[in-house]
Amino acid sequence: MMKQYAIIGMGRFGTSVAKTLYEMGYEVLGIDSDEDRVQDAVDFVTHAVTADSTDENVLKALGIRNFDVVVVAIGADIQASILTTLILKEQGVKQIVVKAQNELHGKVLHKIGADKVVYPERDMGVRVAHNLISPNILDYIELSPEYSMVEIVANEKMVGKTLAESDIRRKFGCTVMAIKTGDEINISPMAHDRIKQGDILVVVGKNDNLQELEEQA
Ligand code: ATP
């Protein structure tokens, strides 16, 4: 059976999560305490209900424990976010994903049993900053505090060269994991594969080394 998702909080983030899941064909229940937000959501969720998620009887009545994943996308009201997560945990929801406002909020969420805590504003800020350093950096994902992955548009120093000739590994200590050419992607490319104009390289490495690569990109 197709997985069922419930999204609590239909702000910009919750809406985006709900819409994406719904467009992929999943069943999505959207919940918000604000009637207008619920009205706005009806077109891109399977069901939309007006409810206060800090009321445990309401969540029980909605059968929240039967959903495979529940996403708590409440922003400003940290207390409501924590209380909601606690209730979901108590009701035995299998997977709880919560949006955190800051590190402290995130820590509390982990402590009370959130399975995954996400920081969309912080992560997007990091991405934008890297894109500002070099507009050729399309995306930036932190893998650990020390290592990251970047998507970088091939620059004139790389175009026309093979991976070996580009010398990225020796010069920067980074590994090219994939080369994207339009819609095609070459996973784990060979040393003799040639980098073309407009190619996008997916590179993994230590943050310091990636920074050097970014600054010359
Ligand atoms: P975004 O950046 O995603 O727009 P935000 O950080 O501005 O979100 P809020 O607008 O504070 O977050 O919250 C997101 C949604 O959560 C709002 O639509 C709000 O009505 C809803 N919400 C807040 N508290 C509750 C609650 N107790 N029960 C249900 N929904 C709630």
Side-chain angles (χ1 to χ4, degrees):
M1 203 176 87
M2 219 35 172
K3 273 195 173 176
Q4 295 185 317
Y5 294 85
I7 316 296
I8 300 174
M10 292 278 113
R12 287 159 300 183
F13 176 73
T15 298
S16 175
V17 174
K19 218 171 180 167
T20 306
L21 290 168
Y22 184 66
E23 281 166 3
M24 289 195 289
Y26 292 98
E27 273 200 34
V28 179
L29 169 68
I31 301 169
D32 203 293
S33 49
D34 181 338
E35 175 105 50
D36 292 338
R37 288 276 168 99
V38 174
Q39 276 311 316
D40 291 343
V42 291
D43 289 337
F44 52 82
V45 294
T46 324
H47 302 286
V49 295
T50 310
D52 180 352
S53 62
T54 60
D55 182 337
E56 57 184 317
N57 294 321
V58 168
L59 290 187
K60 197 176 271 174
L62 286 168
I64 203 76
R65 47 178 262 111
N66 299 319
F67 287 82
D68 298 287
V69 182
V70 179
V71 180
V72 182
I74 297 172
D77 192 345
I78 291 182
Q79 190 175 327
S81 157
I82 292 171
L83 207 52
T84 300
T85 305
L86 201 59
I87 295 169
L88 294 173
K89 193 73 192 168
E90 274 185 358
Q91 298 203 358
V93 173
K94 289 180 282 294
Q95 205 187 346
I96 306 169
V97 179
V98 194
K99 168 183 143 158
Q101 287 288 90
N102 54 52
E103 303 282 337
L104 190 58
H105 182 199
K107 234 185 212 175
V108 173
L109 293 170
H110 275 299
K111 278 243 153 75
I112 61 174
D115 299 284
K116 193 176 168 76
V117 176
V118 294
Y119 303 86
E121 281 94 358
R122 184 199 68 182
D123 292 351
M124 199 34 117
V126 170
R127 287 175 180 182
V128 169
H130 281 277
N131 182 253
L132 290 174
I133 294 168
S134 164
N136 288 336
I137 302 297
L138 301 177
D139 207 351
Y140 185 97
I141 297 168
E142 197 182 83
L143 300 174
S144 78
E146 232 182 314
Y147 290 89
S148 300
M149 187 178 89
V150 301
E151 270 192 6
I152 186 166
V153 182
N155 62 24
E156 66 277 12
K157 290 192 189 112
M158 304 169 186
V159 172
K161 291 181 180 158
T162 64
L163 264 191
E165 288 162 357
S166 78
D167 223 10
I168 291 172
R169 189 182 306 238
R170 200 184 55 82
K171 273 199 264 183
F172 302 101
C174 301
T175 304
V176 178
M177 306 289 290
I179 302 176
K180 291 192 200 173
T181 308
D183 288 338
E184 280 176 31
I185 181 157
N186 174 2
I187 297 282
S188 60
M190 305 292 202
H192 62 258
D193 285 341
R194 203 166 286 282
I195 302 167
K196 294 182 285 297
Q197 182 77 42
D199 277 0
I200 294 164
L201 310 184
V202 181
V203 187
V204 168
K206 272 202 162 147
N207 295 337
D208 293 352
N209 297 338
L210 285 172
Q211 192 179 339
E212 285 172 31
L213 179 65
E214 283 179 42
E215 283 165 353
Q216 73 112 60

